[in-house]
């Protein structure tokens, strides 16, 4: 149509009509064009999934589904038979087994002891190890190597106001004897540095801790007979100069950590040769790279602190003929600039989206970490990086992460993230992991663990052998495939991270399935249960399925009977 002719002609059509028609035609053109582009390029196609049971096969360690003892729901530990339970954290650095008490350090006004006037040596840890054994859980026990432990079983503190004067902050509770406990900082914020390290502590050495390991062996048996299986060499030693500065104000150097590990780890191995040792269990990226002692890395040829530690443990074995480090362990918490993700509630939509994305820091070489770390470093790829360090610096050492937390475990967002993390641990061949701050039995985060450990309420488990599994868009729909040894079933965990249901085709290779698969979902439709849906039709070529918005799905596909 010649629009110029219509607009200029006024003999047969009023000008107003011409303008109306022109506007209508323009509107329709824009609408049709927008619809075309929306359908053609504006919508992201649903991801396509694929599984090849013959490829990339490797064992999945059962110990990746562990939890820390701190705040662990006993009902959840018993139900799921958590494979590993860790007794660790800042206070364990100062545990005195003879008086069965510890010191919180800077976490809580350097307060130690309690109200136990008749302590039983080692009692609280003995109860943990016994409970773990009854639940079928391995125990990780932290051995203090800092050189000082708590003195008394009754309340005491490192910076009494009566002795060291007014302080920036004081414990709101008044004790002992009406005194107040301060945070070790003067009102102007400067540190109190002239305190007596023996105010609330006594010195400790390998012989002192040897007596405790002997007690654990006598009480519970050796590691191979069901006693404490793994001993951790203290907790976050590079943080001693802050958390426990009342007894260790110095920053921990390369040599100090090596020498203390040599002494205490060799003591553990001599006392119980069947036990495993885990370290250095430090707190994050900054101390993977260097100690907090100025110029320390330069003094060691630019070698990263964590790698030097591995090299020194290898040197010990080469010199002495004894392996004193079985697990290379570090703690890892995600950092996202300006957002609270780790150890935080679910948060707003921006935080929840970042939480789901940030699991990529564990494995993805194309992901740039959204923090100060990512601004100056290549992709983190935490687990492959650790495994490569071990391969180069101390082959045969296993890899562990004994503290991690992505937050939001009270929400479906946290549950999706946690399920993704557990799948990644299996994919990347991590050997051991223990979640810090476990969810309550009733919280969504617990259902992420149930998906892998008890999806049907009858002990149904995700498989123990990884198989190749791929999604064309893991940001929308991730998949983790495995095969069970006991019955040969193929089990798939599929996580829909979006707010819409997704229908996807899955291609299957190298597996002869039965005609029907079990199909379980956990979603916002019912946050109190993993719900079994109608069985899913499966062929040797695969299947098509719909995954609810914000959901975790477990598909269990039996092998075709011969």
């Amino acid at each position: 149509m010649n629009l110029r002719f219509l607009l200029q002609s006024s003999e047969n059509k009023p000008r107003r009509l011409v303008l109306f028609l022109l506007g209508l035609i323009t509107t329709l053109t824009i609408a049709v064009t927008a619809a075309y582009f929306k359908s053609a390029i504006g919508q992201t196609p649903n991801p396509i999934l694929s599984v090849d049971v013959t490829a990339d096969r490797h064992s999945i360690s059962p110990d990746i589904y562990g939890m820390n003892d701190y705040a662990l729901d006993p009902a959840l530990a018993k139900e799921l038979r958590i494979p590993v339970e860790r007794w660790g954290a800042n206070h364990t650095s100062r545990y005195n087994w003879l008086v069965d008490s510890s010191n919180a350090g800077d976490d809580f006004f350097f307060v130690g002891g309690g109200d136990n006037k008749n302590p039983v040596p080692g009692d609280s840890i003995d109860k943990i190890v016994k409970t773990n054994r009854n639940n079928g859980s391995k125990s990780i026990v932290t051995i203090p190597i800092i050189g000082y432990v708590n003195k008394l079983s009754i309340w005491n503190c490192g910076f009494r106001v009566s002795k060291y004067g007014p302080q920036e902050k004081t414990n709101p509770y008044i004790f002992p004897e009406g005194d107040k406990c301060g945070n070790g900082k003067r009102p102007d914020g400067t540190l109190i540095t002239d305190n007596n390290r023996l105010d609330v502590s006594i010195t400790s050495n390998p012989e002192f801790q040897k007596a405790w390991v002997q007690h654990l062996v006598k009480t519970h048996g050796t590691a191979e007979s069901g006693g404490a299986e793994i001993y951790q060499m203290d907790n976050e030693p590079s943080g001693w100069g802050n958390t426990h500065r009342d007894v260790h104000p110095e920053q921990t150097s390369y040599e100090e950590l090596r020498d203390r590990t040599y002494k205490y780890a060799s003591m553990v191995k001599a006392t119980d040769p069947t036990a495993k040792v885990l370290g250095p269990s430090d707190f994050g990226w900054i101390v993977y790279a260097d100690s907090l002692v100025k110029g320390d890395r330069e003094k060691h040829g630019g070698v990263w602190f964590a790698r030097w530690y591995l090299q020194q443990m290898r040197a010990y074995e080469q010199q002495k003929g004894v392996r004193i480090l079985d697990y290379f362990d570090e703690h890892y918490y995600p950092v996202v600039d300006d957002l609270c993700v780790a150890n935080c509630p679910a948060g707003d939509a921006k935080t929840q989206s970042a939480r789901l994305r940030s699991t990529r820091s564990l494995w993805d070489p194309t992901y740039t970490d959204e923090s100060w770390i990512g601004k100056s470093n290549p992709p983190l790829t935490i687990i492959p990086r650790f495994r490569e360090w071990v391969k180069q610096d101390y082959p045969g050492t296993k890899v562990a992460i004994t503290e991690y937390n992505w937050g939001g475990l009270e929400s479906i967002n946290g549950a999706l993230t946690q399920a993704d993390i557990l799948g990644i641990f299996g994919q990347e061949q991590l050997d051991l992991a223990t979640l810090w701050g476990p969810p309550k039995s009733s919280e969504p985060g617990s259902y992420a663990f149930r998906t892998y450990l008890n999806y049907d309420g009858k002990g149904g488990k995700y498989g123990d052998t990884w198989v190749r599994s791929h999604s064309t868009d893991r940001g929308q729909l991730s998949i983790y495939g495995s095969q069970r040894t006991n019955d040969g079933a193929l089990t798939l965990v599929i996580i829909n991270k979006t707010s819409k249901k997704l229908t996807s085709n899955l291609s299957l290779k190298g597996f002869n399935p039965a005609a029907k698969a079990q199909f379980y979902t956990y979603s916002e439709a019912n946050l109190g249960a993993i719900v079994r849906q109608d069985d899913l039709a499966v062929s040797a070529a695969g299947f098509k399925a719909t995954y609810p918005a914000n959901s975790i799905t477990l598909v269990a596909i039996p092998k075709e009977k011969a």
Side-chain angles (χ1 to χ4, degrees), residues 135-449:
N135 287 344
S137 305
K138 295 178 183 177
S139 294
I140 298 177
V141 174
T142 300
I143 296 291
I145 71 172
I146 191 173
Y148 295 87
V149 293
N150 194 56
K151 183 186 296 186
L152 304 172
S153 64
I154 56 175
W155 295 116
N156 211 332
C157 61
F159 294 100
R160 289 195 185 202
V161 172
S162 62
K163 184 171 184 178
Y164 296 105
Q167 295 173 49
E168 182 185 57
K169 295 179 182 178
T170 56
N171 178 9
Y173 305 102
I174 298 176
F175 65 84
E177 301 88 36
D179 207 346
K180 287 188 176 182
C181 299
N183 68 345
K185 296 180 181 179
R186 299 182 182 88
D188 63 2
T190 58
L191 299 179
I192 296 172
T193 58
D194 59 350
N195 67 296
N196 186 342
R197 300 187 188 196
L198 300 180
D199 279 346
V200 294
S201 302
I202 61 172
T203 57
S204 170
N205 57 31
E207 283 301 309
F208 184 92
Q209 300 301 336
K210 179 180 179 180
W212 184 29
V213 178
Q214 290 174 328
H215 165 86
L216 288 166
V217 170
K218 181 179 179 181
T219 305
H220 307 285
T222 61
E224 68 178 4
S225 61
E229 288 91 344
I230 304 171
Y231 291 91
Q232 182 167 308
M233 294 293 98
D234 215 292
N235 177 78
E236 300 185 351
S238 290
W240 290 342
N242 176 46
T243 307
H244 297 290
R245 56 187 166 79
D246 60 325
V247 296
H248 194 290
E250 308 85 5
Q251 299 297 349
T252 307
S253 69
Y254 279 51
E255 277 78 13
E256 181 185 7
L257 183 56
R258 177 199 62 190
D259 294 346
R260 289 186 179 277
T261 303
Y262 278 1
K263 292 175 182 177
Y264 287 86
S266 61
M267 175 276 294
V268 167
K269 290 289 189 174
T271 308
D272 183 0
T274 69
K276 304 299 182 183
V277 170
L278 184 151
S281 310
D282 236 327
F283 61 77
W285 182 268
I286 190 170
V287 290
Y288 305 164
D290 199 353
S291 79
L292 299 182
V293 176
K294 186 176 180 179
D296 217 4
R297 189 167 80 182
E298 287 73 15
K299 294 177 183 176
H300 295 85
V303 179
W304 282 35
F305 194 10
R307 298 197 63 176
W308 189 85
Y309 177 89
L310 278 167
Q311 293 165 9
Q312 297 303 301
M313 297 304 113
R314 183 183 191 181
Y316 184 96
E317 181 179 6
Q318 291 171 337
Q319 295 166 9
K320 306 287 186 179
V322 178
R323 173 182 276 273
I324 60 170
L325 184 76
D326 301 283
Y327 290 87
F328 171 70
D329 170 51
E330 297 284 20
H331 298 169
Y332 180 67
Y333 292 94
V335 179
V336 180
D337 283 350
D338 303 321
L339 297 176
C340 187
V341 173
N343 292 302
C344 290
D348 59 17
K350 183 178 180 182
T351 301
Q352 292 186 33
S353 179
R355 177 175 288 114
L356 285 168
R357 286 195 309 274
S358 62
T359 62
R360 293 170 61 189
S361 65
L362 290 167
W363 68 274
D364 189 354
T366 70
Y367 176 69
T368 299
D369 197 65
E370 300 168 52
S371 71
W372 63 268
I373 303 172
K375 291 180 175 67
S376 57
N377 291 280
L380 270 60
T381 55
I382 290 295
I383 301 174
R385 182 185 294 270
F386 287 174
R387 293 181 62 235
E388 184 61 26
W389 287 351
V390 162
K391 180 181 177 180
Q392 293 185 24
D393 298 326
Y394 196 7
T397 308
K398 294 183 177 181
V399 177
I401 300 175
T402 59
E403 281 191 28
Y404 71 94
N405 181 293
W406 255 259
L409 292 170
E410 81 292 347
S411 70
I412 187 66
N413 176 256
L416 300 177
T417 306
Q418 184 61 50
D420 201 43
I421 290 165
L422 295 176
I424 291 167
F425 286 170
Q427 167 192 295
E428 296 299 325
Q429 301 182 63
L430 190 66
D431 294 296
L432 184 151
T434 50
L435 171 68
W436 179 259
K440 295 182 176 63
S441 180
S442 59
E443 288 183 320
S446 67
Y447 288 91
F449 283 87

Side-chain angles (χ1 to χ4, degrees), residues 58-87:
H58 62 252
S59 295
I60 298 173
S61 169
D63 295 339
I64 61 176
Y65 308 112
M67 297 184 183
N68 276 264
D69 175 76
Y70 177 74
L72 177 59
D73 184 339
L76 185 63
K78 185 175 182 179
E79 174 201 342
L80 299 184
R81 297 178 67 82
I82 299 298
V84 182
E85 186 176 324
R86 170 183 177 256
W87 177 75

Side-chain angles (χ1 to χ4, degrees), residues 24-25 62 83 97 114 126 160 213 271 321 446 482-483 491 505 522 546:
L24 179 61
I25 292 169
W97 77 280
D126 286 342
R160 289 195 185 202
V213 178
T271 308
S446 67
S482 67
Q483 189 169 22
T491 57
N505 290 310
Y522 180 73
T546 298

